Amino acid sequence: MRYETKRLKSSIRLALMTAIAALPMTAFAAADEPEVYDLEEVEVVGAHETAASGESGQPSAYAGGQIARTSHLGVLGERDFMDVPFNVTTFNSQMIENQQANSVVDVIANDPSVSDLTLSSVSQAWMIRGFKAQQQDTQLNGLYGVAPRFYGGIEYVDRVEVLKGVGALLSGMAPNGSIGGTVNFVTKRAEGNKASVTLSYGNRGQFTQHIDISRRSADNKLGVRVNLLHNNGDGQYDRERIKTQTGFIGLDYNTDRSRTTFDAGIISNRVENAQYRLQIEGSSVKNFTGFPRVDINSNFGAPGTFRKVIEKFGVIRSEYDIDKNLTGYAAFGMRITHQDTLSSQVFLKDVSGTMNVRHQYNNQINKSKSAEIGLKGKFETGIVNHEVTLAGSVMHYDRYMFQNALASKRYDTNLYAPQWKDLGSYLGSLTKRLPLNDSETLRSIALSDVMSTKDGRWTFIVGGRLQQIIVKTYLDGKGKTYTGARSYDESKFSPAFALVHKLNDKVAIYANYIQGLKDGDEVTSNTAANKGDMLKPFVAKQYEVGAKFDLGKIATTLSAFSITNAASIEDDVTHIVSSDGEVRNRGIEWTFFGEPKAGTRLTGGITWLNARYEKTTGGKNEGRIQEGSPRMTAVLGLEQDIHGVDGLSLSARMTYNSATYANPANTLKVSPWARFDVGARYRFKAGDTPVTVRADVYNVFNRNYWHVLDRNAAYLGAPRTFMLSMTAEF
């Protein structure tokens, strides 16, 4: 680890020198002569400066500056939210910075269709439209398999795009098969010659330093963006400590006919004594109707546990205009992740609070490669304009892993007064070896045609993607694969049809039918007779209709959807787990964002979800609600500029989850909860230097609540925490 840290520091220095030294300052225009950049005008939106869409490649923001108008939609390219037959939201850097968001979940939780499904403070997981997704399924600039696998920080991210619903045609199958929606990270790009330094202090004592440097050449063709971050200190929960060092560099080069970007990053992250979920022992679930009330500062991670991660990634993307009607593009990315983890799991055995503590050691190296190539062409047939895209993609990863459940190292203690073992002497030395454990290859080819009328009022999308998924599970790292149910090679064709009709320049209605492919789940139940088997891939089907309203100062989307997918069911007699069941998720989403009055900015919405088991073998759990799926979620965010004090803004946000079940039998339920966050921001000048001070309080009323997961588990919500930061711009 000491060697990796030294190498990380060297890489950070190299990134900084690349951005500043390797490109001499004489190559850049002077900071006090903005006219040489030939950038688009800057419009003032609610007392905040937001770059309009122009040569910098940044999309224009909607009124209020928190949400971008456009999103990247895979083979459909960059499109305005009113022009696409899907429900999509893009959170801007302004919103990320002003909320002092530290992770992807902090950002996407602003969408009412997203529920936090985090099972530990070293993981990132969420639910979109009732289907689970993870950090491993995020895209980086439209490419799967490249974004950090375990690290959820977003200091290098300019925008976070959330596509709700199945999207196989657009980007293909996600590596871990999430089907409820897609999250895409759009990295920061250079915006003139400037820099910022942010110092922040929060949680229980964590100090963070973040440097963000931007440089553009005098002709505006070449841009360099460097982000460096270091933090160290206590986390949100008792005994938790976090130390992180990251370095990211982003390059872009544009000519009259080509656009090329390159991004690379390196991450070192260590978390000690992380918080983990609380699980109820399967045989004891019948004795519980809900999760017990515990001290809000409780930590279910045993002292002495840790998670160490080193992640390195890079991606290059380029497109070239062959002529005015034909563009070719290609992208290639790689990532290598080293993870070393000693974790703990606690299982509640009885209502008196007796819990069993179990430990697991996991050491792995994950190597991933991803590529995409395509052609986009435009032509006309009569009164119809066509945009045809032919694209191919491939992603492959190998996972070298040793995992030891340490079955003999278990002990009982009490939930309310835990007596933890000293792991240093209790566990002894940990075995470290890295056999090839499993691999996955995803290949696909997609063809789409976006047909629109000359007046732009009708748009019809038709297309499909042929996907192949190859999963191999290896035996003892000797290169020999398991046969039968532990490896498979399957291909599926996923069609898609969608329609948008603009009634006028303010109202659009849309509909879509689209399919997706999810990789088969691994059977993990301890009671399953076929534990360890891989189930066959599932085909998901989505129907959706909706309406969008752009009223200039505020926009809103109302949509209704139905998604069906296979469900894993364990037979009560044979204890064989199969995918014979079906989950049907139906819901209504209402989202809104904008600035209805100068200085007053709103975001939020409500989602009603009915996620049920259907068509199960023998009727087991049929008609019951899927675990981890709240019936209603709501978010309301409000920002208000204080007009009597120039530069001062106040904010508040409410997040609500209805009562939610933690098991498919619907006998274990968590009460509804609402959390409130408040904040203040003050922007002023210290001499000629713009300075922004931000202060936020999360869970301001110190609400004690549980996030519901699956498998009889829940995660304790974080107690009241504070964050204070100061950003100086140069």
Side-chain angles (χ1 to χ4, degrees):
M1 183 65 187
R2 185 176 302 168
Y3 171 73
E4 292 286 0
T5 302
K6 289 181 179 178
R7 190 163 59 180
L8 172 67
K9 292 178 179 178
S10 298
S11 299
I12 291 175
R13 294 191 190 101
L14 177 61
L16 188 58
M17 288 187 292
T18 301
I20 300 175
L23 294 173
M25 290 299 296
T26 55
F28 296 100
D32 59 352
E33 296 178 345
E35 65 273 12
V36 300
Y37 297 128
D38 194 26
L39 293 175
E40 294 286 329
E41 282 188 344
V42 172
E43 61 176 340
V44 178
V45 184
H48 295 270
E49 292 183 350
T50 304
S53 181
E55 294 179 14
S56 65
Q58 302 299 320
S60 61
Y62 196 79
Q66 298 177 314
I67 306 297
R69 289 199 62 101
T70 61
S71 302
H72 183 275
L73 297 173
V75 297
L76 303 185
E78 199 90 9
R79 292 184 181 272
D80 188 272
F81 77 98
M82 290 291 289
D83 296 332
V84 296
F86 304 100
N87 193 335
V88 59
T89 304
T90 298
F91 298 101
N92 253 349
S93 58
Q94 177 178 301
M95 189 172 196
I96 296 171
E97 293 169 1
N98 288 340
Q99 289 189 355
Q100 302 194 76
N102 292 316
S103 71
V104 56
V105 173
D106 291 342
V107 179
I108 63 178
N110 288 287
D111 193 304
S113 294
V114 178
S115 300
D116 189 351
L117 210 62
T118 296
L119 57 84
S120 77
S121 54
V122 293
S123 68
Q124 299 286 314
W126 51 88
M127 185 173 281
I128 306 178
R129 289 187 171 177
F131 292 99
K132 184 178 179 180
Q134 303 176 68
Q135 171 72 22
Q136 295 95 315
D137 279 349
T138 55
Q139 294 180 325
L140 185 67
N141 293 332
L143 203 61
Y144 280 123
V146 182
R149 182 174 175 85
F150 295 108
Y151 179 71
I154 52 173
E155 56 269 20
Y156 62 101
V157 174
D158 182 69
R159 308 190 308 278
V160 179
E161 302 174 338
V162 182
L163 170 69
K164 283 150 281 188
V166 181
L169 169 66
L170 308 183
S171 302
M173 176 181 164
N176 276 30
S178 59
I179 59 173
T182 303
V183 175
N184 181 41
F185 295 153
V186 181
T187 52
K188 292 179 177 179
R189 292 283 165 247
E191 300 172 355
N193 288 348
K194 60 182 182 179
S196 68
V197 176
T198 300
L199 304 178
S200 60
Y201 182 83
N203 292 332
R204 294 169 177 263
Q206 189 169 132
F207 185 41
T208 303
Q209 310 92 50
H210 179 203
I211 300 173
D212 187 347
I213 301 170
S214 173
R215 294 287 183 266
R216 293 211 72 86
S217 61
D219 60 5
N220 199 41
K221 291 183 177 181
L222 175 63
V224 182
R225 189 77 174 258
V226 173
N227 278 267
L228 308 174
L229 179 138
H230 172 270
N231 69 27
N232 192 13
D234 296 333
Q236 292 179 307
Y237 298 93
D238 185 39
R239 296 184 279 102
E240 187 178 72
R241 286 192 62 84
I242 303 170
K243 184 175 182 179
T244 307
Q245 299 175 82
T246 67
F248 304 95
I249 185 169
L251 307 175
D252 66 274
Y253 184 77
N254 303 316
T255 69
D256 293 339
R257 302 183 68 171
S258 67
R259 295 154 296 280
T260 301
T261 61
F262 171 77
D263 295 274
I266 184 167
I267 299 156
S268 172
N269 175 246
R270 179 183 175 93
V271 181
E272 297 176 352
N273 308 325
Q275 173 73 294
Y276 282 91
R277 61 188 172 180
L278 175 65
Q279 303 173 76
I280 295 178
E281 191 79 65
S283 59
S284 303
V285 169
K286 60 181 179 294
N287 300 320
F288 292 85
T289 58
F291 285 80
R293 186 176 180 84
V294 298
D295 188 310
I296 196 171
N297 295 300
S298 298
N299 186 338
F300 302 113
T305 55
F306 62 87
R307 201 281 305 267
K308 298 186 294 186
V309 169
I310 299 289
E311 304 218 50
K312 292 167 279 189
F313 68 89
V315 58
I316 185 169
R317 177 178 288 275
S318 184
E319 60 181 32
Y320 180 78
D321 297 331
I322 300 170
D323 60 36
K324 66 178 182 179
N325 293 318
L326 184 62
T327 298
Y329 66 92
F332 176 75
M334 298 177 66
R335 174 186 47 77
I336 181 169
T337 298
H338 297 253
Q339 182 206 218
D340 194 22
T341 300
L342 175 62
S343 61
S344 63
Q345 299 183 67
V346 291
F347 289 83
L348 198 57
K349 298 173 65 175
D350 55 53
V351 294
S352 69
T354 302
M355 64 180 186
N356 186 251
V357 183
R358 309 171 189 178
H359 291 90
Q360 180 170 286
Y361 176 70
N362 181 288
N363 186 28
Q364 68 170 276
I365 296 177
N366 189 287
K367 299 179 179 180
S368 176
K369 298 178 181 178
S370 187
E372 180 183 36
I373 189 169
L375 279 174
K376 291 178 177 289
K378 299 179 181 180
F379 61 91
E380 299 178 4
T381 56
I383 62 171
V384 178
N385 296 325
H386 296 261
E387 297 180 38
V388 177
T389 302
L390 176 64
S393 66
V394 60
M395 194 217 74
H396 176 84
Y397 82 77
D398 291 312
R399 181 166 58 170
Y400 302 81
M401 183 172 72
F402 172 75
Q403 186 160 287
N404 185 356
L406 304 174
S408 63
K409 301 296 185 178
R410 301 182 180 185
Y411 61 90
D412 286 345
T413 186
N414 190 273
L415 173 70
Y416 304 105
Q419 299 294 317
W420 306 101
K421 297 283 188 180
D422 180 359
L423 295 187
S425 58
Y426 179 65
L427 294 181
S429 60
L430 299 173
T431 302
K432 295 184 179 182
R433 58 187 180 91
L434 290 170
L436 180 58
N437 185 82
D438 62 287
S439 66
E440 182 176 82
T441 302
L442 303 176
R443 299 191 184 102
S444 71
I445 185 168
L447 179 64
S448 66
D449 187 3
V450 180
M451 295 168 277
S452 58
T453 56
K454 298 290 186 180
D455 59 8
R457 296 188 63 185
W458 289 89
T459 300
F460 182 62
I461 299 173
V462 61
R465 184 179 292 266
L466 178 63
Q467 302 176 95
Q468 180 189 33
I469 174 171
I470 304 172
V471 173
K472 295 182 179 180
T473 304
Y474 295 91
L475 179 64
D476 296 331
K478 297 178 181 179
K480 182 179 179 181
T481 61
Y482 283 109
T483 57
R486 296 197 177 190
S487 298
Y488 58 80
D489 182 345
E490 297 284 338
S491 297
K492 298 288 183 182
F493 178 74
S494 301
F497 308 93
L499 175 71
V500 182
H501 176 46
K502 291 186 176 180
L503 302 179
N504 49 51
D505 60 352
K506 292 182 174 61
V507 183
I509 57 175
Y510 73 91
N512 67 65
Y513 169 77
I514 189 168
Q515 289 187 4
L517 184 64
K518 182 186 183 303
D519 60 347
D521 295 329
E522 180 182 356
V523 179
T524 58
S525 172
N526 291 324
T527 60
N530 58 335
K531 181 180 179 180
D533 283 359
M534 300 294 296
L535 303 180
K536 295 296 184 181
F538 308 150
V539 176
K541 300 177 181 180
Q542 173 180 285
Y543 298 88
E544 181 180 358
V545 295
K548 301 182 181 184
F549 303 86
D550 181 359
L551 305 179
K553 294 183 178 181
I554 193 164
T556 184
T557 298
L558 181 65
S559 59
F561 63 87
S562 176
I563 304 174
T564 57
N565 189 44
S568 300
I569 302 293
E570 182 176 340
D571 188 275
D572 289 333
V573 178
T574 65
H575 293 287
I576 297 292
V577 174
S578 65
S579 56
D580 291 337
E582 181 179 279
V583 173
R584 186 206 62 199
N585 290 16
R586 290 178 177 172
I588 298 174
E589 299 164 325
W590 175 50
T591 58
F592 54 84
F593 52 85
E595 189 177 29
K597 181 181 178 181
T600 302
R601 293 173 290 281
L602 295 173
T603 58
I606 300 174
T607 294
W608 292 271
L609 179 66
N610 184 8
R612 293 184 180 273
Y613 288 100
E614 303 285 345
K615 303 177 183 178
T616 60
T617 301
K620 183 178 180 180
N621 299 326
E622 191 162 320
R624 293 187 173 130
I625 298 172
Q626 183 186 14
E627 62 274 23
S629 303
R631 297 295 299 272
M632 187 176 82
T633 54
V635 180
L636 174 61
L638 169 66
E639 276 195 0
Q640 179 63 55
D641 295 338
I642 306 303
H643 298 294
V645 183
D646 189 32
L648 178 63
S649 300
L650 303 180
S651 64
R653 180 175 56 173
M654 182 276 293
T655 304
Y656 172 80
N657 272 219
S658 66
T660 311
Y661 292 107
N663 65 334
N666 291 177
T667 60
L668 188 61
K669 184 168 69 171
V670 167
S671 300
W673 57 267
R675 191 193 71 207
F676 294 87
D677 309 321
V678 296
R681 180 173 68 255
Y682 183 51
R683 185 175 176 86
F684 61 96
K685 277 196 173 184
D688 294 329
T689 302
V691 177
T692 304
V693 177
R694 298 178 175 93
D696 288 277
V697 184
Y698 309 108
N699 193 7
V700 65
F701 297 118
N702 209 29
R703 176 68 187 270
N704 193 327
Y705 65 97
W706 293 97
H707 287 288
V708 175
L709 308 175
D710 54 4
R711 303 175 190 175
N712 312 327
Y715 184 74
L716 186 64
R720 182 192 298 120
T721 54
F722 304 84
M723 184 67 69
L724 177 66
S725 71
M726 181 179 68
T727 300
E729 302 172 18
F730 304 96

